[in-house]
Amino acid sequence: MSIDNNIAITTTTATAAATENKQLILDCLALYSQGRLEDVVPLLREDYTDHGLPFQTSSREAWIATARTLPLAGMRIDIRSLVADGDNVLMLSRRQLPAVGLDIAVADVFRVQDGRIAERWEIVEQLAAGAADPLAGLVSDAA
């Protein structure tokens, strides 16, 4: 097994663009959790692609149509960490929707392009009733 010694790791420092990208995600999630989908529309690119469940959509129009079928009223999104690096924003959160018994820990990666959300990936862990919170050790720094 060999390892190429010419590995390059690119990191960026906090920039105005990274701060704006984080705020874009926060704004979108606030509107989404309130069911204000018409106000989410301008925050997403027309070719927005969502790789997460239940969406798996490849356009803003398809995403909005899917979101309209979800019971968003009463959704709680507890953001534990929000980190931006260039055009990518990583969010760790716990989401609860008591009306349907949803309690999940989620890692999302958003890609921002031209000031709009272009793409999203997620990893979800369903939490059993009474289970320890897997994100309990993370202090919320999203504000």
Side-chain angles (χ1 to χ4, degrees):
M1 180 174 165
S2 65
I3 297 175
D4 183 353
N5 289 329
N6 295 316
I7 297 172
I9 298 174
T10 303
T11 60
T12 59
T13 57
T15 63
T19 300
E20 289 171 10
N21 290 343
K22 286 171 54 172
Q23 190 60 53
L24 174 66
I25 301 306
L26 291 172
D27 292 346
C28 182
L29 289 171
L31 296 168
Y32 172 77
S33 68
Q34 296 168 21
R36 295 175 48 195
L37 300 175
E38 66 283 351
D39 294 326
V40 171
V41 170
L43 305 181
L44 304 176
R45 287 179 48 92
E46 191 173 315
D47 61 350
Y48 172 73
T49 301
D50 196 312
H51 304 279
L53 295 173
F55 295 100
Q56 298 183 341
T57 54
S58 59
S59 73
R60 177 178 61 200
E61 183 179 325
W63 186 89
I64 292 292
T66 301
R68 288 191 195 288
T69 68
L70 302 175
L72 299 176
M75 176 178 276
R76 175 178 164 79
I77 301 174
D78 182 9
I79 298 172
R80 303 297 176 87
S81 184
L82 190 66
V83 179
D85 186 17
D87 292 335
N88 297 307
V89 178
L90 168 67
M91 181 179 76
L92 302 176
S93 66
R94 183 171 184 175
R95 298 182 199 168
Q96 297 171 307
L97 193 52
V100 296
L102 179 75
D103 191 3
I104 55 178
V106 183
D108 290 288
V109 177
F110 298 88
R111 184 175 63 81
V112 176
Q113 181 180 343
D114 302 325
R116 293 187 177 169
I117 303 169
E119 203 163 7
R120 180 185 77 102
W121 297 263
E122 73 176 353
I123 298 172
V124 177
E125 178 182 346
Q126 179 70 45
L127 302 177
D133 182 352
L135 302 174
L138 296 175
V139 176
S140 178
D141 64 354

